[in-house]
Structures are given as structure tokens and as C-alpha cells.
Amino acid sequence: MSQQKRIVIYLFSILINALGNSFMVTASIGSAPWTSASEAVAAISPLTVGLAIIVLHVLALIATLFLGSRFSWWTIVLSFALVVLFGAAIDFFLSIHQLIYTPQGLWMRAVYMLIGMPLISLGLALYLQIGFVLMPPDYLMKSLISRFKSTSLGATISLGIPFVIACLFSLIERELIGIGVGTFIFLLLNGPLIEWFQQLFPITARPPKRTSS
């Protein structure tokens, strides 16, 4: 696969991820952890969900640097640009939902959740296979895994951070914001769905560079 196609698929994966998140936010049954934290921040501030995602991702990047991870300035700039694209895309798709249709009944909200969840997993499956530049929460997860020398512990802590943020702001507002059944279903099914999509849509590895003998 050519480099140009890989870049197109990479950007497509970010947009698919954002679209899936917009469906889960619109469903209001619980979102993916970082998105649920962003919903909570947006609920108590003038920020939109997309802008709140950008703010939280920047904080995640700062936390990663404090944990000792080192990146080139170019990687930091690209990761930030990726977050801006992701946040802006979520706000765009949310505005489309509000313009066209916002489900009210529980069954349609459940349908929206069931549409959004696999879209997020598909986006992540493509994004992780190509892996040009990661978004800050993914760097934070890798840093925590390295710090604690445990994949399960590092991954749990990295997902626990946005969950705690959402819980704290929900307590302030005295209502659950962004957290619900959908959050726990997402945590349960996201991993298996990513693996399934990676098997369904494998990205051809870049051929090794030929060396002259």
C-alpha cells in the first residue's frame, strides 16, 4: 500500500472515530471514557464537547511528558493537530445530529449507541494499524504501561483518569454526565471489536527498505 493511501486511511480513521463518538454522545446513554469526561467538562464550562476534548488531550500530553516520555517537537505538533481535527470533527458531526435528528426514545438512543460503538472501534482498528502519530491519551497509556511495567494496570489507570474526571464533575452537577450503560458496554466490547476489525480490514505493512549489497 502506498504512503498516500495510508495517510488517507489514517485521516479517515480519525473521522470515523469522531463520527462514532458523535453518535454515542447524541444517544446520551454513556460515552467512551475520554469523551464522557469531555461531556462533563463541557457541561460546566462554555466549551463545546470538541473543545473540551482538545483541552483534556493537551493535559494528557503534558502528563505524559511529566511521566518522562520524550517526543520530538514535530511529533508533539502533529499529535496536537490530530486532536484539533478530532475535536472539530466531533463538534461538526454533533451539529449535524442536532440539525437533522436527535433521538428521544430509549430504543432509538440505544440504536444510536449501537451505531456509534463499532464506528469508534473501526476507526481505532485502522488508526492503530497505521500508527503514524498517536493522540495524547494513547501516548499516556503507553507511558503508564511502561511506568508500571504492566499492560493491564497501565491501561486501567489511563482509562480510569477520564472516568474519575467525569464522576467528579457529575457530582458537582448532581447528575451523571457522559457516564452510563454505554460507557461500560464500550469498555467491555471495544477491545474485541478492534481485534475483529483489524482481522477484517488488515493494513498491509510497509515493505522494508531495500539495501544495496
Side-chain angles (χ1 to χ4, degrees), residues 2-188:
S2 69
Q3 187 77 344
Q4 290 79 8
K5 286 184 178 180
R6 294 174 69 86
I7 292 173
V8 170
I9 293 174
Y10 182 70
L11 295 176
F12 173 75
S13 73
I14 301 301
L15 295 178
I16 285 294
N17 190 344
L19 178 61
N21 273 283
S22 74
F23 269 96
M24 289 197 71
V25 170
T26 304
S28 296
I29 310 179
S31 303
W34 283 99
T35 308
S36 64
S38 301
E39 286 186 72
V41 171
I44 65 165
S45 73
L47 299 176
T48 63
V49 173
L51 288 175
I53 282 176
I54 294 172
V55 170
L56 290 179
H57 278 49
V58 169
L59 292 177
L61 182 57
I62 293 172
T64 304
L65 294 172
F66 271 112
L67 285 171
S69 296
R70 293 292 176 261
F71 307 100
S72 67
W73 280 105
W74 184 236
T75 298
I76 292 174
V77 169
L78 287 178
S79 184
F80 177 73
L82 202 62
V83 169
V84 171
L85 172 64
F86 183 60
I90 287 180
D91 275 347
F92 171 76
F93 290 129
L94 284 174
S95 66
I96 296 298
H97 285 302
Q98 292 169 4
L99 183 65
I100 297 177
Y101 176 67
T102 300
Q104 300 298 324
L106 180 60
W107 283 108
M108 280 307 301
R109 289 163 59 198
V111 168
Y112 262 51
M113 183 196 73
L114 293 175
I115 292 173
M117 194 177 306
L119 285 176
I120 295 173
S121 300
L122 172 59
L124 288 172
L126 299 174
Y127 155 84
L128 291 172
Q129 285 187 86
I130 295 176
F132 287 134
V133 177
L134 302 180
M135 287 194 280
D138 300 315
Y139 284 125
L140 178 59
M141 180 182 293
K142 291 177 66 176
S143 181
L144 288 168
I145 289 171
S146 176
R147 171 60 63 92
F148 292 103
K149 296 179 174 55
S150 168
T151 299
S152 60
L153 181 58
T156 299
I157 292 174
S158 69
L159 290 176
I161 292 171
F163 185 77
V164 169
I165 292 172
C167 288
L168 287 176
F169 287 125
S170 292
L171 285 174
I172 293 173
E173 290 294 295
R174 297 183 179 180
E175 65 173 318
L176 285 178
I177 304 172
I179 302 172
V181 175
T183 306
F184 299 101
I185 295 176
F186 176 86
L187 291 172
L188 180 66

